[in-house]
Amino acid sequence: MAEFILNDIAIKGITCAVPENKVVTRDFSDKFGSDYVESFIETTGVETSYRTPEEQTASDLCFVAAEKLINEKQIDRESIGALVFISQTPDYRLPATACVLHKRLGLGKGCIAFDVNLGCSAFVYGLNIVGSMMNSMNIDRALLLNGDTCTKTNSPEDKSEYMLFGDAGTATLLEKSQGSVIKGELMTDGEGFKAIIMPSGGYRNRNGSHERTMWGDGNIRSDYDGYINGADVFVFSISQVPKLIKKFVADNNIEEYDGLFLHQANRMMFKQIAKKTKIPIEKIPVTIDRFGNTSGASIPLTLCDVYGDSDDSGNGDKVADENTNVKALMCGFGIGLSWGVVYAEIAKEDIYPIIYTNDYYSDGGVSHD
């Protein structure tokens, strides 16, 4: 088992940015039929989501989130020793988007910057990646940036996915802090790599078809659009995820936590996970209803929604209490297939409101002259 303990490492800040464009799921009734849309909402829970304009990318949202964090915390940019950008929708095939963000944020040359390709489990994996580097190097402060614009990856004719996703970017600050502890456990089952996939667009199936046709599941998409085997992902999520959560809680004697912050994949999954773990459904905050499935950004987004006094929050006091720190049990799961769980305490004052922005970087091209 890939268990880990990050001693003397703490989460010292979380911010989130989403686009300004709010999409109402029921507005797709004319396109997909009102009966199907109502059934979709009942199953997934997605009533609204936020979608980026054409020019805006995941890194733009992460940049806004990171700038907010740096400015609010009054951080010396030269003190940031690592920047890790985790996304499945980077700016380019090459170079690493982390290098673009390094430039835009004005970080020092002694700062490590690189990308990781992960989605649903990105936040819990990312905490381990960044924290482990800090434990083994002379890095006292680092940024973990999680973001995706999954709405750009789906066919507009795919009724199973087009209404499911939302776009978001987040920034998490980690610092060395005497006595702090972050614990976690991570898992992978590569046998399920085809369960969530974009068949073309990389370097394996370079001659995939751009033409959108009817697939066997009755949805219209091309080889360059995202595909999810919903049945396989659902079975995986309600079987493997609860098993890991129960094991982790028992192994680490975790008796108190303010909430189980799940990757916001599907509302029906939450009910099954709550039932199998015997965790009260009231302790599982929901944001998929208002923001959609935001991939690897969904856990930090949910923390910001609950504790950041966001104007769009629908459950701001659901898991809140009078304590200064949030005792957060966090679990990400999905593409890969990969999943993991992390426990950490986070000061409420270090969790900021959700930002709404359509800002984008206008200098990302190369002159042909």
Side-chain angles (χ1 to χ4, degrees):
M1 294 295 179
E3 302 170 356
F4 67 88
I5 298 178
L6 302 173
N7 290 312
D8 302 325
I9 302 291
I11 296 172
K12 288 294 188 177
I14 300 178
T15 53
C16 177
V18 300
E20 295 176 0
N21 181 34
K22 186 175 184 177
V23 177
V24 178
T25 305
R26 286 188 173 88
D27 288 348
F28 291 102
S29 294
D30 289 343
K31 184 181 184 69
F32 296 127
S34 58
D35 288 346
Y36 181 86
V37 170
E38 291 301 324
S39 175
F40 178 88
I41 293 172
E42 177 65 25
T43 301
T44 65
V46 182
E47 296 188 21
T48 61
S49 58
Y50 291 83
R51 300 190 177 212
T52 50
E54 178 64 28
E55 303 87 355
Q56 192 179 45
T57 68
S59 77
D60 291 323
L61 295 170
C62 286
F63 170 78
V64 170
E67 272 287 292
K68 173 74 171 179
L69 200 56
I70 291 170
N71 291 332
E72 286 287 336
K73 304 281 289 184
Q74 297 183 343
I75 294 170
D76 176 3
R77 295 171 193 258
E78 290 288 334
S79 72
I80 297 173
L83 183 158
V84 178
F85 175 69
I86 307 188
S87 177
Q88 293 173 138
T89 52
D91 288 8
Y92 315 100
R93 290 186 185 180
L94 54 93
T97 302
C99 296
V100 182
L101 286 162
H102 179 279
K103 175 240 183 326
R104 294 182 66 190
L105 290 168
L107 306 186
K109 292 182 180 178
C111 174
I112 298 169
F114 61 90
D115 289 3
V116 176
N117 182 348
L118 265 180
C120 320
S121 61
F123 186 65
V124 291
Y125 266 70
L127 290 174
N128 171 263
I129 292 168
V130 176
S132 296
M133 285 197 305
M134 294 175 70
N135 268 344
S136 63
M137 303 176 71
N138 64 336
I139 296 174
D140 295 328
R141 180 175 282 153
L143 285 174
L144 168 62
L145 305 183
N146 295 99
D148 266 308
T149 51
C150 291
T151 63
K152 298 182 189 295
T153 68
N154 301 124
S155 164
E157 305 303 319
D158 186 344
K159 62 184 179 181
S160 69
E161 295 180 42
Y162 195 64
M163 298 180 287
L164 178 63
F165 292 99
D167 299 329
T170 66
T172 302
L173 175 69
L174 285 88
E175 292 183 353
K176 286 183 177 174
S177 176
Q178 193 69 33
S180 296
V181 177
I182 299 175
K183 297 181 179 181
E185 186 168 346
L186 307 173
M187 301 189 73
T188 306
D189 181 5
E191 290 289 340
F193 81 91
K194 290 184 180 180
I196 308 174
I197 191 171
M198 184 183 293
S200 295
Y203 291 97
R204 181 164 299 283
N205 302 311
R206 297 184 65 186
N207 297 313
S209 174
H210 287 275
E211 181 183 359
R212 289 188 169 123
T213 59
M214 183 78 72
W215 287 32
D217 63 354
N219 288 289
I220 298 172
R221 61 176 74 89
S222 78
D223 290 337
Y224 290 83
D225 295 318
Y227 163 73
I228 299 176
N229 185 319
D232 286 356
V233 173
F234 187 82
V235 170
F236 152 73
S237 299
I238 66 170
S239 58
Q240 297 302 317
V241 173
K243 189 183 299 183
L244 177 60
I245 292 171
K246 289 197 295 184
K247 175 185 179 298
F248 179 78
V249 168
D251 288 351
N252 291 279
N253 299 312
I254 298 173
E255 298 179 355
E256 294 184 13
Y257 47 90
D258 295 311
L260 171 59
F261 295 86
L262 293 173
H263 163 55
Q264 301 288 303
N266 178 304
R267 183 165 62 185
M268 189 175 291
M269 289 179 186
F270 300 162
K271 296 177 181 179
Q272 293 297 319
I273 292 171
K275 180 180 178 181
K276 293 192 175 187
T277 58
K278 295 183 169 55
I279 292 174
I281 193 70
E282 295 78 16
K283 278 203 166 188
I284 303 178
V286 176
T287 54
I288 193 172
D289 56 341
R290 285 158 291 126
F291 296 94
N293 179 336
T294 54
S295 188
S298 68
I299 294 174
L301 182 152
T302 302
L303 284 161
C304 289
D305 180 64
V306 174
Y307 294 105
D309 297 324
S310 169
D311 291 338
D312 202 40
S313 172
N315 57 347
D317 295 324
K318 181 173 286 187
V319 299
D321 54 33
E322 297 303 317
N323 295 327
T324 303
N325 290 344
V326 179
K327 297 176 180 178
L329 187 62
M330 301 169 280
C331 181
F333 52 92
I335 195 163
L337 296 166
S338 60
W339 65 111
V341 61
V342 168
Y343 176 81
E345 290 195 25
I346 311 164
K348 288 181 183 178
E349 65 182 10
D350 288 333
I351 304 175
Y352 294 89
I354 294 171
I355 306 161
Y356 296 82
T357 177
N358 281 343
D359 290 353
Y360 66 92
Y361 188 47
S362 60
D363 190 27
V366 177
S367 173
H368 294 186
D369 296 336

